[in-house]
Amino acid sequence: MNIIHTKNLTKTYIRFEKEEGLRGSIKSLFKREKIVKTAVNNFNLEINEGEFVGLIGPNGAGKTTLMKMLTGIISPSSGTISVLGYVPNELKNAYKKQFSIVMGQKSQLFQDLSAADTFLLLKEIYDIPEDEYRKNLKYFIDLFSIADYLNVQVRTLSLGERMKMELVAALLHNPRILFLDEPTIGLDAVAQKQIRGFLKEVNREKGTTILLTSHYMDDIKSLCKRCIVVNNGCKIYDGNLEMLFDRYQTHKMITVTFDEATSYIHDFNVQIIERNPFKLSFMAYRKDVRHIINCIMTECEIKDISIEEEDIGNVVERIYSDKGGALIEEIF
């Protein structure tokens, strides 16, 4: 069932500029330079219940603005939004009880209280029945192994521990939709992996619809089958994540080690990463990998060889580039 729908959604901001110094300040009293910034432009979106959708794009692409409009934090300049049958910016209580939003750089927990006290407060705010509250709390405590620091001040928690509590607070009332804006920002690799496992479990077991923005592409790749790419406020791709990466992950990393010192010379179209008498590492086009490997194995005594996917950062740069945007349109 379709639970998020937008049509020609647009958000513009007006900014004012002035020259530096006193002269510029006086001049701006009489004439100000106005700049219209379009953060989201004619955005059409449909998300079905139970989906886990990744929203990616460079800084300033419009991802957070889109999230804020879907949750009613800000109103659109034009276009229409329907989420769970509600218009978000009307801020009806019935709607607010059916979604949650977690922003990696903003906290909804009270720093001087324990997380357990905040959870009790949220229980009253969302009118969660006692038995449902206890059941949900136990589920999340077991899932995230947070019993040891449930009753300590939030300000004493590490960033990873706090983010776990943020997610528990967001999900206690069984929201149908969870909006996540950079939930793993600043976390170490272990904490990121734990957060991903938690979100995957919640989506699978509870059927919660999740819309996730993240600059960590490992988050997107490990959690989302569907991906939406946003650039300059416009949607430039909406579809299967694997298809997107198959299109842009154009190279493979090949590392060859030799039994004996060799001065192997090649005429392949590759990018050399490392070269010494016993080792050769290079980037090659995916389509050329088989031919290159056959040639090396025919001409040299190989000790070991490894083939790895191209670094995900290079792929993302290619997707975000102007050239990448033009190529994405060819997928449709």
Side-chain angles (χ1 to χ4, degrees), residues 156-171:
T156 66
L157 300 177
S158 69
L159 180 58
E161 291 167 345
R162 182 179 67 79
M163 281 310 303
K164 293 177 185 179
M165 297 302 188
E166 294 279 359
L167 288 168
V168 173
L171 291 163

Side-chain angles (χ1 to χ4, degrees), residues 7 39 42-43 62 136 233 293 328:
K7 185 175 182 181
N42 289 324
F43 207 97
N136 287 347
I293 295 301
I328 286 174

Side-chain angles (χ1 to χ4, degrees), residues 141-163:
I141 289 173
D142 293 342
L143 184 62
F144 245 160
S145 302
I146 56 175
D148 291 342
Y149 43 92
L150 193 65
N151 295 302
V152 301
Q153 277 185 311
V154 169
R155 68 170 63 256
T156 66
L157 300 177
S158 69
L159 180 58
E161 291 167 345
R162 182 179 67 79
M163 281 310 303

